[in-house]
Short mmCIF file of all heavy atoms in Angstrom, two decimals:
data_model
loop_
_atom_site.label_atom_id
_atom_site.label_comp_id
_atom_site.label_asym_id
_atom_site.label_seq_id
_atom_site.Cartn_x
_atom_site.Cartn_y
_atom_site.Cartn_z
N ILE Q 919 21.58 155.88 249.74
CA ILE Q 919 21.68 154.49 249.25
C ILE Q 919 20.89 153.51 250.05
O ILE Q 919 20.00 152.67 249.49
CB ILE Q 919 23.16 154.10 249.07
CG1 ILE Q 919 23.78 155.02 247.93
CG2 ILE Q 919 23.25 152.58 248.69
CD1 ILE Q 919 25.23 154.58 247.75
N ILE Q 920 21.02 153.61 251.39
CA ILE Q 920 20.37 152.70 252.29
C ILE Q 920 18.88 152.99 252.24
O ILE Q 920 18.04 152.10 252.21
CB ILE Q 920 20.91 152.93 253.69
CG1 ILE Q 920 22.39 152.20 253.74
CG2 ILE Q 920 19.99 152.09 254.60
CD1 ILE Q 920 23.03 152.58 255.11
N ASP Q 921 18.40 154.17 252.05
CA ASP Q 921 17.01 154.48 251.98
C ASP Q 921 16.43 153.87 250.74
O ASP Q 921 15.31 153.27 250.85
CB ASP Q 921 16.77 155.97 251.83
CG ASP Q 921 16.98 156.72 253.25
OD1 ASP Q 921 17.00 155.94 254.23
OD2 ASP Q 921 17.08 157.90 253.36
N GLU Q 922 17.12 153.91 249.58
CA GLU Q 922 16.64 153.31 248.29
C GLU Q 922 16.61 151.77 248.43
O GLU Q 922 15.72 151.19 248.03
CB GLU Q 922 17.46 153.73 247.20
CG GLU Q 922 17.33 155.18 246.79
CD GLU Q 922 16.00 155.62 246.21
OE1 GLU Q 922 15.18 154.53 246.04
OE2 GLU Q 922 15.72 156.68 246.05
N PHE Q 923 17.66 151.22 249.11
CA PHE Q 923 17.75 149.78 249.40
C PHE Q 923 16.48 149.40 250.22
O PHE Q 923 15.84 148.35 249.94
CB PHE Q 923 19.01 149.42 250.12
CG PHE Q 923 19.22 148.00 250.37
CD1 PHE Q 923 19.52 147.11 249.41
CD2 PHE Q 923 19.00 147.48 251.66
CE1 PHE Q 923 19.76 145.78 249.60
CE2 PHE Q 923 19.14 146.13 251.89
CZ PHE Q 923 19.42 145.32 250.90
N HIS Q 924 16.19 150.06 251.30
CA HIS Q 924 15.02 149.87 252.16
C HIS Q 924 13.82 149.82 251.40
O HIS Q 924 12.96 148.84 251.47
CB HIS Q 924 14.90 150.83 253.34
CG HIS Q 924 15.82 150.57 254.36
ND1 HIS Q 924 16.13 151.43 255.37
CD2 HIS Q 924 16.87 149.60 254.59
CE1 HIS Q 924 17.16 151.02 256.18
NE2 HIS Q 924 17.57 149.86 255.67
N ARG Q 925 13.53 150.83 250.49
CA ARG Q 925 12.26 150.90 249.71
C ARG Q 925 12.03 149.79 248.84
O ARG Q 925 10.98 149.24 248.85
CB ARG Q 925 12.37 152.22 249.00
CG ARG Q 925 12.30 153.44 249.88
CD ARG Q 925 12.63 154.82 249.02
NE ARG Q 925 12.65 155.90 249.88
CZ ARG Q 925 13.03 157.04 249.46
NH1 ARG Q 925 13.37 157.29 248.24
NH2 ARG Q 925 13.09 158.13 250.30
N VAL Q 926 13.12 149.37 248.15
CA VAL Q 926 13.04 148.18 247.20
C VAL Q 926 12.81 146.91 248.09
O VAL Q 926 12.02 146.01 247.66
CB VAL Q 926 14.27 148.09 246.25
CG1 VAL Q 926 14.13 146.93 245.50
CG2 VAL Q 926 14.33 149.43 245.35
N ALA Q 927 13.63 146.75 249.06
CA ALA Q 927 13.58 145.46 249.92
C ALA Q 927 12.25 145.34 250.65
O ALA Q 927 11.73 144.26 250.65
CB ALA Q 927 14.70 145.47 250.86
N LEU Q 928 11.57 146.36 251.06
CA LEU Q 928 10.41 146.31 251.81
C LEU Q 928 9.23 145.90 250.73
O LEU Q 928 8.25 145.38 251.08
CB LEU Q 928 10.12 147.70 252.33
CG LEU Q 928 10.75 147.83 253.80
CD1 LEU Q 928 10.54 149.35 254.27
CD2 LEU Q 928 10.42 146.93 254.93
N ALA Q 929 9.30 146.37 249.63
CA ALA Q 929 8.24 146.17 248.52
C ALA Q 929 8.40 144.71 248.14
O ALA Q 929 7.32 144.31 247.51
CB ALA Q 929 8.36 147.09 247.48
N HIS Q 930 9.48 144.00 248.32
CA HIS Q 930 9.57 142.66 247.76
C HIS Q 930 10.20 141.74 248.87
O HIS Q 930 11.33 141.33 248.57
CB HIS Q 930 10.42 142.72 246.40
CG HIS Q 930 9.93 143.61 245.40
ND1 HIS Q 930 8.98 143.21 244.45
CD2 HIS Q 930 10.31 144.91 245.05
CE1 HIS Q 930 8.69 144.14 243.69
NE2 HIS Q 930 9.57 145.27 244.17
N PRO Q 931 9.35 141.36 249.77
CA PRO Q 931 9.91 140.39 250.83
C PRO Q 931 10.26 139.06 250.31
O PRO Q 931 10.78 138.20 251.00
CB PRO Q 931 8.78 140.48 251.77
CG PRO Q 931 7.60 140.81 251.14
CD PRO Q 931 7.92 141.77 250.07
N SER Q 932 9.57 138.69 249.07
CA SER Q 932 9.84 137.40 248.55
C SER Q 932 11.18 137.17 247.75
O SER Q 932 11.43 136.17 247.34
CB SER Q 932 8.61 137.08 247.52
OG SER Q 932 8.63 137.97 246.45
N ILE Q 933 11.92 138.26 247.69
CA ILE Q 933 13.36 138.32 247.20
C ILE Q 933 14.34 138.42 248.27
O ILE Q 933 14.15 139.25 249.12
CB ILE Q 933 13.42 139.37 246.09
CG1 ILE Q 933 12.33 139.13 245.05
CG2 ILE Q 933 14.84 139.27 245.44
CD1 ILE Q 933 12.26 140.33 244.04
N SER Q 934 15.35 137.72 248.14
CA SER Q 934 16.48 137.85 249.11
C SER Q 934 17.35 139.02 248.65
O SER Q 934 17.82 139.07 247.52
CB SER Q 934 17.23 136.49 249.30
OG SER Q 934 18.39 136.58 249.97
N PHE Q 935 17.68 139.91 249.60
CA PHE Q 935 18.58 141.00 249.34
C PHE Q 935 19.73 141.03 250.29
O PHE Q 935 19.61 140.54 251.50
CB PHE Q 935 17.90 142.37 249.56
CG PHE Q 935 16.80 142.64 248.52
CD1 PHE Q 935 15.48 142.25 248.64
CD2 PHE Q 935 17.12 143.37 247.31
CE1 PHE Q 935 14.55 142.36 247.63
CE2 PHE Q 935 16.21 143.70 246.33
CZ PHE Q 935 14.90 143.21 246.53
N SER Q 936 20.90 141.53 249.82
CA SER Q 936 22.11 141.71 250.70
C SER Q 936 22.84 143.07 250.25
O SER Q 936 22.76 143.39 249.07
CB SER Q 936 23.02 140.56 250.68
OG SER Q 936 23.49 140.32 249.35
N LEU Q 937 23.41 143.79 251.18
CA LEU Q 937 24.10 144.92 250.92
C LEU Q 937 25.52 144.82 251.62
O LEU Q 937 25.56 144.60 252.76
CB LEU Q 937 23.30 146.13 251.48
CG LEU Q 937 23.98 147.49 251.51
CD1 LEU Q 937 24.40 147.91 250.18
CD2 LEU Q 937 23.08 148.59 252.22
N TYR Q 938 26.48 145.14 250.78
CA TYR Q 938 27.92 145.34 251.28
C TYR Q 938 28.43 146.61 251.03
O TYR Q 938 28.36 147.13 249.93
CB TYR Q 938 28.74 144.23 250.61
CG TYR Q 938 28.40 142.81 250.86
CD1 TYR Q 938 27.33 142.08 250.17
CD2 TYR Q 938 28.98 142.01 251.80
CE1 TYR Q 938 27.02 140.82 250.37
CE2 TYR Q 938 28.53 140.66 252.04
CZ TYR Q 938 27.60 140.14 251.28
OH TYR Q 938 27.29 138.88 251.56
N ASN Q 939 28.91 147.19 252.23
CA ASN Q 939 29.57 148.60 252.06
C ASN Q 939 31.00 148.51 252.45
O ASN Q 939 31.33 148.10 253.51
CB ASN Q 939 28.72 149.51 253.06
CG ASN Q 939 29.37 150.94 253.20
OD1 ASN Q 939 29.80 151.37 252.15
ND2 ASN Q 939 29.48 151.46 254.37
N ASN Q 940 31.85 148.84 251.55
CA ASN Q 940 33.27 148.85 251.66
C ASN Q 940 33.84 147.50 252.28
O ASN Q 940 34.68 147.36 253.14
CB ASN Q 940 33.74 149.93 252.70
CG ASN Q 940 33.51 151.37 252.05
OD1 ASN Q 940 33.54 151.49 250.89
ND2 ASN Q 940 33.30 152.32 252.94
N GLY Q 941 33.27 146.41 251.66
CA GLY Q 941 33.72 145.11 252.07
C GLY Q 941 33.04 144.48 253.18
O GLY Q 941 33.21 143.15 253.49
N SER Q 942 32.23 145.21 254.05
CA SER Q 942 31.56 144.77 255.14
C SER Q 942 30.10 144.48 254.87
O SER Q 942 29.39 145.32 254.27
CB SER Q 942 31.73 145.47 256.33
OG SER Q 942 31.27 146.72 256.16
N GLU Q 943 29.46 143.43 255.44
CA GLU Q 943 28.07 143.13 255.17
C GLU Q 943 27.14 144.02 255.98
O GLU Q 943 27.39 143.99 257.30
CB GLU Q 943 27.73 141.61 255.50
CG GLU Q 943 26.26 141.37 255.16
CD GLU Q 943 25.94 139.78 255.41
OE1 GLU Q 943 25.89 139.52 256.64
OE2 GLU Q 943 25.96 139.01 254.36
N THR Q 944 26.36 144.79 255.53
CA THR Q 944 25.52 145.68 256.19
C THR Q 944 24.09 145.12 256.42
O THR Q 944 23.52 145.21 257.53
CB THR Q 944 25.39 147.05 255.58
OG1 THR Q 944 26.68 147.67 255.31
CG2 THR Q 944 24.51 147.96 256.49
N PHE Q 945 23.56 144.49 255.44
CA PHE Q 945 22.25 143.89 255.45
C PHE Q 945 22.28 142.52 254.78
O PHE Q 945 22.92 142.28 253.77
CB PHE Q 945 21.16 144.79 254.75
CG PHE Q 945 20.89 146.03 255.50
CD1 PHE Q 945 21.36 147.22 255.25
CD2 PHE Q 945 19.90 145.92 256.68
CE1 PHE Q 945 21.04 148.35 255.88
CE2 PHE Q 945 19.59 147.08 257.22
CZ PHE Q 945 20.09 148.30 256.89
N ASN Q 946 21.66 141.48 255.36
CA ASN Q 946 21.41 140.21 254.81
C ASN Q 946 19.93 139.88 255.06
O ASN Q 946 19.61 139.46 256.15
CB ASN Q 946 22.36 139.22 255.31
CG ASN Q 946 22.28 137.96 254.60
OD1 ASN Q 946 21.47 137.72 253.71
ND2 ASN Q 946 23.17 136.92 254.94
N LEU Q 947 19.09 140.05 254.02
CA LEU Q 947 17.64 139.90 254.24
C LEU Q 947 17.15 138.61 253.51
O LEU Q 947 17.04 138.62 252.20
CB LEU Q 947 17.00 141.14 253.70
CG LEU Q 947 17.30 142.50 254.26
CD1 LEU Q 947 16.70 143.63 253.56
CD2 LEU Q 947 17.23 142.61 255.73
N PRO Q 948 16.85 137.59 254.27
CA PRO Q 948 16.45 136.33 253.46
C PRO Q 948 14.98 136.52 253.19
O PRO Q 948 14.29 137.46 253.50
CB PRO Q 948 16.55 135.26 254.67
CG PRO Q 948 16.35 135.99 255.89
CD PRO Q 948 17.08 137.44 255.72
N VAL Q 949 14.46 135.54 252.26
CA VAL Q 949 13.12 135.53 251.91
C VAL Q 949 12.14 135.34 253.06
O VAL Q 949 12.50 134.47 254.08
CB VAL Q 949 12.82 134.33 250.93
CG1 VAL Q 949 11.30 134.31 250.67
CG2 VAL Q 949 13.56 134.60 249.69
N SER Q 950 11.08 136.23 253.23
CA SER Q 950 10.34 136.10 254.59
C SER Q 950 8.96 136.65 254.25
O SER Q 950 8.79 137.23 253.17
CB SER Q 950 11.08 136.94 255.67
OG SER Q 950 11.25 138.27 255.30
N ASN Q 951 8.15 136.78 255.26
CA ASN Q 951 6.84 137.56 255.14
C ASN Q 951 7.19 139.04 255.39
O ASN Q 951 8.16 139.40 255.73
CB ASN Q 951 5.83 136.97 256.08
CG ASN Q 951 6.29 136.98 257.61
OD1 ASN Q 951 7.05 137.97 257.87
ND2 ASN Q 951 5.77 136.10 258.31
N TYR Q 952 6.05 139.84 255.28
CA TYR Q 952 6.27 141.26 255.26
C TYR Q 952 6.78 141.88 256.68
O TYR Q 952 7.53 142.60 256.86
CB TYR Q 952 4.89 141.93 254.76
CG TYR Q 952 5.15 143.46 254.60
CD1 TYR Q 952 6.05 143.88 253.86
CD2 TYR Q 952 4.18 144.39 255.10
CE1 TYR Q 952 6.29 145.23 253.59
CE2 TYR Q 952 4.40 145.75 254.97
CZ TYR Q 952 5.50 146.17 254.08
OH TYR Q 952 5.47 147.54 253.92
N ARG Q 953 6.10 141.19 257.81
CA ARG Q 953 6.38 141.62 259.08
C ARG Q 953 7.89 141.18 259.37
O ARG Q 953 8.57 142.09 259.96
CB ARG Q 953 5.46 140.88 260.12
CG ARG Q 953 5.57 141.40 261.46
CD ARG Q 953 4.66 140.75 262.40
NE ARG Q 953 4.63 141.38 263.70
CZ ARG Q 953 3.58 141.98 264.28
NH1 ARG Q 953 2.48 141.97 263.59
NH2 ARG Q 953 3.59 142.57 265.40
N GLN Q 954 8.30 140.09 258.98
CA GLN Q 954 9.66 139.65 259.34
C GLN Q 954 10.67 140.51 258.52
O GLN Q 954 11.81 140.81 259.07
CB GLN Q 954 9.88 138.17 259.01
CG GLN Q 954 11.14 137.60 259.48
CD GLN Q 954 11.39 137.65 260.98
OE1 GLN Q 954 10.31 137.49 261.78
NE2 GLN Q 954 12.41 138.11 261.52
N ARG Q 955 10.29 140.92 257.25
CA ARG Q 955 11.23 141.71 256.42
C ARG Q 955 11.35 143.17 257.19
O ARG Q 955 12.47 143.70 257.29
CB ARG Q 955 10.59 142.02 255.04
CG ARG Q 955 11.33 142.93 254.24
CD ARG Q 955 12.74 142.60 253.97
NE ARG Q 955 13.09 141.35 253.52
CZ ARG Q 955 13.16 140.95 252.22
NH1 ARG Q 955 12.98 141.93 251.29
NH2 ARG Q 955 13.48 139.73 251.91
#
Side-chain angles (χ1 to χ4, degrees):
I919 290 175
I920 291 176
D921 285 346
E922 292 293 349
F923 180 81
H924 285 172
R925 293 167 183 176
V926 176
L928 284 171
H930 301 276
S932 59
I933 300 175
S934 174
F935 289 90
S936 58
L937 169 61
Y938 294 84
N939 175 40
N940 293 333
S942 62
E943 185 180 76
T944 305
F945 289 99
N946 188 357
L947 309 176
V949 176
S950 61
N951 58 31
Y952 191 49
R953 187 183 194 116
Q954 192 60 43
R955 175 56 57 89

